Amino acid sequence: MRKTCVNMVYALAKRDPRIVFIGSDLSPGLLDDMKAEMPDRHYMEGVMEANVIGMAAGMAMDGYMPFVNTIATFITRRCYEQVALDLCLHNLPVRLIGNGGGLVYAPLGPTHLAIEDMAIMRALPNMTVTAVADADEMVRLMEASLDWPHPIYMRLAKGGDPIVSDAARGFEIGKAIPMRETGASDGVLIVATGVMTNRALAAADMLEADGIACEVLHVHTVKPLDHEAILRMAARARLVVIAEEHTIVGGLGSAVTDVLVENPLTPMPAIRRLGIPDRFAVNYGVQDDLLEIYGLQPAQIARSIVDNLK
Amino acid sequence: MSEVASSTPPLDERSLELRRLVVRALDGGKRGHIGSSLSLIEILRVLYDDVLRFDPARPDWPERDRCILSKGHGCIALYALLADKGFFPPAELDRFCHVDAILGGHPERGKAPGIEASTGALGHGLSIGAGMALAARMQKRSSKVFVITGDGEINEGSVWEAALATGKHKLANLTVVVDYNKLQSAGTTREIQDLEPLADKWTSFGFQVREVDGHDVDALRTCFKNLPFDGAKPSAVIAHTIKGKGVSFAESDAAWHHKSRLSDDVIAELYAAIGGRDA
C-alpha cells in the first residue's frame, strides 16, 4: 500500500503540475525516478515535521498540492499545531501520508504505534481522515484526492495486505462502501476501516457459517463520515460492532456511536466497540500479535459478536 | 550585540500618523498588543512604502511579494499599514476585535485583504514563507518573501527547523526580519531565553545577516534596498527596536506588551504621547 501510494504521487505528478512530494527522512532512493525527472518537485527535508508541514502550507497557498510523507505518529503528533493551523485553519489541499498506521510498527514499541492518529486528526475542522483497505483502494483514493480541496490524512497499512476492495463498488471520498450486504433484518453490522475491513469480512464469513447474518460496511473515510450509509445499514441490525485498529477513544467507534446516538433508530441496535484499550502497548512482536492481544483478529471478532448476541 | 538603536532619529510625521492608526484600533477594540505593535511600525512602513510589490486592488496578484507577520500578535501595526495602503477602509480599525470584525487579535488570511498567513501561534511564519519562496522558485516568479518574527518568538524550535531548511535551499528570495525589541512577555529576552549571539546563529544557519536600527527609516530603506545581501543565500535582518516605541511611558516596559479594557483616559494618553489625535 505504501509503495503504491508513493508511486502514485509520481504518477499523478506527471500529469498534474500541482503535485509535489515532501518526505522527511525516508528510505534511501525513495522516488528517485521522480527526483530525476522533476527535481524541483521532490523534497527530502530531514527530521523536521513542524517545518515540513509549514512549508507544504506555503506551497499550497501558492497553488501546489503537496503530498507529505513520514511515519504516522510523527506526522500527526509531532506537528499537531502546524497541522491544525497551517493546514486546517487555512483549509489547504495538503495530503499527509502516514506510514505504519495503527499497530504496524509493533516491534518498535509505543513511540511508533499510531493508535490515536485518527482521533486527533478527526478533531480538527476541515481535515479529512482516510484509511483504505488495501493497495488497490489506495490507487482510487489517490486519484480522488486530486479533486478534494481540503487537507487529507491518509493512514497507511503495513503493505501486502489482502486485496478485498473492488473497483466495481466505486470510490468517493466521504462515501462508505457496503462490502457485504445480506439484506437480512435483525442481523449484525460490522463497521470497519483500514485493514480491519478484511478481518471484519473474515469474521462475517465465520458468523455466516454459524447461521448469523452479518453485513460489513467499509468506512475508508472516517471524516467526513457517511452518516446515511451507517444509519441505513444499522436500521436493520440488532447489533452494530465497530472494529478498529485504534484506541477506543475518539476513533471510528466513537464517530459511529455519535451518529447512532444522535439519530436514534427504532428499535435501537446494541452497539459494541472493538478497538485498542486506553493504554500504551506493553508488548512487541508483530502487528498480528498485538491485534490478537487486543481481540481484533477475525475469530475473536466473531466470538465477541456471538457473545454479544446471547 | 550592536547598539545601533542608540542614535535613532526622532519619529517623523508619517511614523506618528501610522501610530495614530494603531491607537485608533486600540480604541476600537479597547485592547491590543501595544508594545509589540509599536516596535514594528518603521519595519512595516519601509517595507510597504519602499520595498514590497503589491496591488491593494488585487491582493491575490500572483506576482506580488509576500509579507508574513509571523509575530501575529503585532498585527495592529500590519493593520495600520494595510489600511493606509487601501487594502481595506481605515474604519475597519474602529471594529478591531468586534464580534463581526475582519480584524482580530491575530491576523487571518482570507478575513482581511492583504493578510498572507494566519499567525498568532508563534514559530509558524518562516516555514510558510519558505514554502512560498520555493513555490516562487518552482513557478519562476520573481516574488520576494518577507517573514517578520519576534524575538520571543524565535525561542520556538520550529523557527530553527525552518532556518535550516531555508539555508539548505539557499532561498535568496526570502528575508527574515527579527523585531529585536529585547522584551518578551515575561521579561527581557536576555533573562528569559537569551538569543545571543543572534547574528552568529542566523549566519551559521546559512543566512547573510545585517543589523539595523529598526526605527531609522533611512537605514531600513538602505538595508532592504540591498536585498538579497548575497545572491546565493537567504537574508536575515536583525532590526534593533524598542518595544512600545513612540509612547514614552510604554517604551521598554513589559507591562505594555498587551493591555485589555483600555479606558478612554488611557487612549487619550496614548494619543497625547504621539502628538495628539489629530496632529
Side-chain angles (χ1 to χ4, degrees), chain B residues 117-129:
Chain B
S118 301
T119 55
L122 297 174
H124 290 244
L126 188 52
S127 295
I128 293 173

Side-chain angles (χ1 to χ4, degrees), chain B residues 55-121:
Chain B
D55 178 356
R58 289 184 296 160
D60 58 353
W61 178 39
E63 299 297 324
R64 73 192 185 282
D65 293 332
R66 274 74 167 160
C67 180
I68 298 171
L69 183 63
S70 192
K71 53 166 284 187
H73 57 288
C75 59
I76 303 178
L78 178 60
Y79 297 159
L81 260 302
L82 294 177
D84 175 79
K85 292 296 177 187
F87 281 91
F88 46 78
E92 291 294 342
L93 299 170
D94 301 326
R95 304 198 308 127
F96 174 61
C97 285
H98 290 202
V99 67
D100 57 351
I102 63 167
L103 305 177
H106 293 98
E108 285 189 64
R109 179 184 170 101
K111 271 264 178 73
I115 306 294
E116 295 289 356
S118 301
T119 55

Side-chain angles (χ1 to χ4, degrees), chain B residues 142-173:
Chain B
S142 60
S143 306
K144 296 189 182 78
V145 179
F146 291 81
V147 178
I148 303 171
T149 74
D151 46 17
E153 172 176 16
I154 61 177
N155 296 168
E156 289 282 5
S158 58
V159 172
W160 300 102
E161 290 186 9
L164 269 178
T166 305
K168 165 192 162 176
H169 291 292
K170 304 186 190 315
L171 294 174
N173 56 348

Side-chain angles (χ1 to χ4, degrees), chain A residues 117-135:
Chain A
D117 54 336
M118 296 201 284
I120 62 177
M121 289 295 105
R122 113 182 158 83
L124 298 172
N126 295 328
M127 180 57 89
T128 293
V129 179
T130 63
V132 295
D134 53 43

